[in-house]
Amino acid sequence: MHLSLVIWATTIAQLPEEELKYIEARPKDVEDCANVIITFGDGTKANIIACDMVVGGSRNCVEVYTPSSVHMCNISPNDAMKVYHPSAEAAQGLYLTEKVETNAGWQDVFLEEIFMRGYVGELQDFIECAETGRKPQAGFEIGYESTKIIYAAYLSAAQGKRIDL
């Protein structure tokens, strides 16, 4: 597996105050934008984008390109439902999704947000494991492998080159 990190930086710290007025959160000393490209041994490529603090909310997606297929997952914004309001006043008091600066214009609404973000399944699995003693659906191995990929992405960014795992 080859890993290349295209961008992994703190975006918020680099924006002038004028541009920050459109971003809802103010994280300190954290990565808020990443684009990791993974190339697997069979030629499959995965492009993972995770941007938490961008104008318009957040952007989290995974795209996988195999030699014979394409798989795209829009985690956030999720495009299951779109709404349009000509002004913020027209949508005053409506919650559409987290981290958007306005409800005006086109918005991607998270239907059943707590389910679609995975929180319910994650908590359900934890409770069932605690209750029955069974192993988690995503156990140590997937956590270990994911952590290796994340640290390889940091190394790729620091060295400015692809990292082989």
Side-chain angles (χ1 to χ4, degrees):
M1 173 188 320
H2 304 291
L3 197 79
S4 296
L5 185 70
V6 178
I7 301 169
W8 194 297
T10 303
T11 303
I12 294 292
Q14 299 170 11
L15 294 176
E17 190 58 40
E18 173 64 21
E19 292 180 32
L20 288 174
K21 70 181 179 183
Y22 298 114
I23 298 182
E24 286 297 298
R26 296 291 188 278
K28 302 284 186 220
D29 195 27
V30 297
E31 294 77 28
D32 51 32
C33 189
N35 185 358
V36 179
I37 299 169
I38 300 172
T39 304
F40 296 90
D42 68 350
T44 295
K45 294 194 181 300
N47 184 26
I48 299 120
I49 298 171
C51 291
D52 218 18
M53 302 299 151
V54 295
V55 173
S58 60
R59 176 77 180 130
N60 299 295
C61 68
V62 176
E63 298 175 349
V64 178
Y65 300 89
T66 76
S68 61
S69 65
V70 175
H71 306 259
M72 294 181 164
C73 177
N74 287 325
I75 301 164
S76 174
N78 182 288
D79 56 4
M81 180 179 181
K82 292 184 173 286
V83 299
Y84 177 84
H85 295 98
S87 68
E89 292 78 29
Q92 190 170 10
L94 290 179
Y95 174 80
L96 301 176
T97 189
E98 69 177 4
K99 297 181 183 160
V100 294
E101 64 281 353
T102 180
N103 284 344
W106 282 104
Q107 297 292 327
D108 295 293
V109 178
F110 253 103
L111 299 172
E112 298 293 340
E113 185 171 26
I114 194 167
F115 288 95
M116 293 185 85
R117 290 192 189 273
Y119 304 143
V120 172
E122 178 182 63
L123 292 173
Q124 182 71 37
D125 188 48
F126 174 79
I127 291 167
E128 288 175 5
C129 290
E131 184 176 73
T132 67
R134 76 164 169 78
K135 292 190 178 202
Q137 293 175 10
F140 175 80
E141 188 64 30
I142 195 168
Y144 176 71
E145 292 300 321
S146 298
T147 301
K148 281 187 353 187
I149 291 169
I150 291 167
Y151 277 94
Y154 277 114
L155 186 60
S156 174
Q159 295 182 357
K161 66 179 186 177
R162 288 170 44 149
I163 302 298
D164 292 330
L165 292 180

